[in-house]
């Protein structure tokens, strides 16, 4: 079907009325379809279909002029605080309450059975739980996003990303 | 035994319907398309369950690659890029030629310190692409990222800030970026992530 169909039947008659040649109105659309799909493919490949997903994060407002002291950070009620330290090699250390020499943080990981279980249990146990997330310098950005994500998953309302304190580093040094 | 004659059917099919479909799709894609900006940097962002979509305009992008190089970019709505480079030029006493301003408008993200910016912009397209960008300084002594953030917010007050970090990049670099933002009183920003399934909804 590469050419236009023309009507050739009227050739046999010689006399009689002259009739206008009846041309078929059918046009071969195959090349047009080809062109259409070529352009469709082009636009499909160049289009950015999905916009990037984002996670919104609010940082605590820094008071002007003064550095946040250790005491300010501990102002969170000790009974409601849970500190999560992000260590190297995808390890998580956590403990409840204020940091002190006697505490031995527990070790866990980013799996469903790991930190998520802990968070869900804590959230049930403690009303108004506040989670302090302290990423150490050896943790990766993925760890931070993962732990923020865990907060969303276990629907913990109050959490903050804070700098790690020297005492926390001492606690996890030997673990 | 008589042969069974298979009736010959015409192989031609009516293409009108297919043509309609093709052009319908074509129209759809033409109207919805937005050309991919040629990103100079590729980062592998971590995944999260968050499904908030990032708007197209009024966005400032801070990209951090896995080796800790920081790139900066904003969208060019209402010529905000042109305004931005003019402000930076005034602040640092650098005269940018019209061609350099044009080149700056057309680039997406860049990671060049301000003192190398003029040289980088005066290169031709190919050289500029192959140039190894050292990244924008974010150290506390020389924090150019802070200046860029400040100046872009002056040229477009509605900017939202998005950080696209590579999952393997170490936290201290991100911390520097976040600290810079907080110094400029930006306490709310977006982290660009890939989508993953929400375990609560399965």
């Amino acid at each position: 079907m590469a050419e236009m169909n023309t009507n050739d039947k009227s050739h046999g008659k010689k006399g009689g009325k002259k009739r206008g040649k009846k041309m078929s109105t059918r046009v071969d659309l195959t090349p047009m379809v080809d062109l259409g799909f070529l352009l469709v493919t082009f636009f499909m490949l160049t289009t950015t279909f999905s916009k990037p997903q984002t996670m919104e994060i609010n940082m605590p407002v820094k008071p002007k002029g003064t550095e946040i002291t250790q005491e300010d950070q501990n102002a969170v009620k000790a009974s409601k605080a849970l500190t999560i330290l992000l260590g190297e090699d995808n390890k998580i250390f956590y403990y409840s309450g204020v940091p002190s020499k006697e505490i031995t943080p527990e070790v866990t990981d980013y799996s469903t059975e790991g930190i998520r279980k802990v968070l869900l249990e804590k959230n049930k146990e403690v009303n108004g739980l506040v989670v302090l997330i302290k990423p150490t310098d050896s943790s990766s950005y993925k760890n931070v996003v993962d732990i923020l994500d865990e907060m969303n998953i276990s629907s913990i309302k109050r959490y903050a990303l804070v700098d790690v304190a020297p005492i926390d580093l001492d606690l996890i040094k030997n673990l | 035994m008589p042969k069974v004659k298979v009736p010959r059917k015409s192989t031609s099919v009516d293409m009108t319907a297919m043509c309609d479909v093709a052009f319908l799709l074509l129209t759809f894609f033409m109207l919805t398309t937005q050309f991919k900006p040629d990103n100079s940097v590729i980062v592998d962002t971590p995944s999260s369950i968050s499904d908030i979509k990032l708007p197209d305009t009024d966005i400032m992008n801070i990209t951090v690659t896995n080796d800790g190089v920081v790139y900066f970019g904003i969208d060019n709505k209402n010529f905000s890029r042109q305004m931005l480079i003019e402000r930076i030029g005034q602040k640092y006493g650098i005269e940018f030629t019209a061609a350099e301003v044009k080149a700056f408008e057309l680039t997406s993200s860049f990671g060049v310190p301000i003192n190398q910016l003029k040289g980088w912009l005066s290169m031709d397209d190919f050289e500029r692409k192959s140039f190894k960008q050292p990244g924008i300084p974010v150290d506390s002594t020389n924090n150019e990222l802070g200046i860029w953030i400040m100046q872009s917010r002056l040229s477009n007050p509605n900017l939202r800030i998005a950080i696209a970090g590579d999952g393997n990049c170490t936290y201290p670099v991100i911390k520097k970026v976040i600290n810079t933002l907080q110094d400029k009183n930006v306490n709310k920003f977006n982290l660009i992530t890939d989508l993953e399934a929400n375990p609560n909804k399965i």
Side-chain angles (χ1 to χ4, degrees):
Chain A
M1 204 170 156
E3 73 281 336
M4 299 221 299
N5 297 336
T6 44
N7 208 343
D8 295 277
K9 274 183 182 169
S10 57
H11 277 293
K13 288 180 184 173
K14 276 183 181 171
K17 269 184 189 168
K18 260 197 179 174
R19 278 186 193 152
K21 248 188 193 174
K22 242 192 196 171
M23 297 280 278
S24 161
T25 50
R26 298 190 57 165
V27 183
D28 183 14
L29 288 177
T30 322
M32 193 157 165
V33 173
D34 288 352
L35 180 74
F37 274 102
L38 182 81
L39 290 172
V40 167
T41 322
F42 170 72
F43 279 102
M44 266 172 82
L45 292 179
T46 49
T47 196
T48 44
F49 224 135
S50 57
K51 287 174 195 166
Q53 263 79 31
T54 69
M55 179 193 253
E56 252 184 4
I57 174 169
N58 289 305
M59 296 292 284
V61 179
K62 262 189 192 170
K64 268 271 163 205
T66 50
E67 280 293 300
I68 300 174
T69 60
Q70 194 61 42
E71 281 156 38
D72 287 338
Q73 282 193 14
N74 294 345
V76 176
K77 254 194 179 175
S79 57
K80 292 189 173 178
L82 175 74
T83 306
I84 297 178
L85 293 153
L86 311 180
E88 58 190 334
D89 300 332
N90 300 328
K91 269 195 257 180
I92 301 179
F93 307 94
Y94 66 92
Y95 61 85
S96 323
V98 284
S100 69
K101 286 266 184 295
E102 290 79 49
I103 286 175
T104 36
E106 285 173 80
V107 189
T108 183
D109 55 17
Y110 293 91
S111 64
T112 323
E113 290 299 300
I115 190 69
R116 191 173 302 165
K117 220 176 171 183
V118 175
L119 287 171
L120 286 172
E121 275 169 18
K122 279 278 172 196
N123 205 16
K124 251 184 226 159
E125 229 172 79
V126 185
N127 192 20
L129 178 76
V130 178
V131 183
L132 297 172
I133 303 163
K134 300 184 178 179
T136 64
D137 285 358
S138 42
S139 62
S140 71
Y141 174 61
K142 187 180 189 307
N143 295 153
V144 180
V145 172
D146 279 348
I147 201 77
L148 290 173
D149 205 30
E150 290 297 331
M151 297 297 142
N152 285 335
I153 291 172
S154 35
S155 53
I156 290 171
K157 295 281 174 314
R158 303 180 67 191
Y159 55 90
L161 201 61
V162 288
D163 286 346
V164 69
I167 187 166
D168 294 318
L169 289 176
D170 283 346
L171 285 175
I172 60 166
K173 203 160 58 185
N174 301 319
L175 289 170
Chain B
M1 214 169 108
K3 272 186 188 169
V4 180
K5 264 192 184 169
V6 183
R8 246 196 212 167
K9 275 183 185 164
S10 163
T11 50
S12 66
V13 189
D14 186 13
M15 282 284 161
T16 325
M18 196 162 165
C19 190
D20 288 353
V21 174
F23 276 89
L24 182 81
L25 285 173
L26 179 63
T27 321
F28 169 73
F29 279 107
M30 271 177 80
L31 293 179
T32 56
T33 198
Q34 261 165 358
F35 289 97
K36 274 183 196 164
D38 55 335
N39 272 341
S40 46
V41 275
I42 298 160
V43 288
D44 182 17
T45 52
S47 54
S48 81
I49 58 156
S50 166
D51 54 1
I52 310 166
K53 294 270 194 283
L54 195 70
D56 284 329
T57 49
D58 295 336
I59 281 292
M60 181 199 293
N61 254 313
I62 299 170
T63 312
V64 185
T65 61
N66 60 354
D67 38 8
V69 180
V70 180
Y71 292 82
F72 175 87
I74 66 170
D75 70 296
N76 195 14
K77 195 190 163 200
N78 301 335
F79 306 104
S80 51
R81 287 186 79 105
Q82 190 190 337
M83 268 150 68
L84 175 64
I85 187 119
E86 276 163 12
R87 277 172 190 281
I88 289 287
Q90 271 169 21
K91 198 174 158 66
Y92 281 81
I94 307 171
E95 285 279 325
F96 291 104
T97 62
E100 282 161 8
V101 172
K102 189 81 197 152
F104 183 76
E105 272 184 63
L106 292 177
T107 51
S108 46
S109 293
F110 60 93
V112 189
I114 293 172
N115 55 14
Q116 292 177 33
L117 192 63
K118 193 177 160 67
W120 181 66
L121 288 174
S122 59
M123 291 176 189
D124 65 48
D125 277 355
F126 183 71
E127 272 182 325
R128 206 181 305 128
K129 284 221 173 78
S130 54
F131 182 75
K132 197 179 178 311
Q133 303 187 30
I136 289 174
V138 279
D139 303 314
S140 48
T141 46
N142 178 21
N143 197 334
E144 285 181 9
L145 183 66
I147 293 160
W148 283 110
I149 292 168
M150 184 91 164
Q151 297 301 327
S152 344
R153 296 187 90 208
L154 287 173
S155 22
N156 182 356
N158 300 324
L159 272 185
R160 286 155 142 273
I161 292 164
I163 301 177
D166 195 287
N168 295 321
C169 129
T170 54
Y171 183 65
V173 190
I174 300 287
K175 192 162 85 182
K176 274 191 223 161
V177 172
I178 292 178
N179 282 343
T180 312
L181 287 170
Q182 289 206 286
D183 283 344
K184 302 290 167 214
N185 286 326
V186 181
N187 291 307
K188 191 180 171 188
F189 41 83
N190 297 284
L191 304 176
I192 295 182
T193 54
D194 286 340
L195 191 61
E196 74 177 27
N198 188 343
N200 296 338
K201 284 183 187 161
I202 295 172

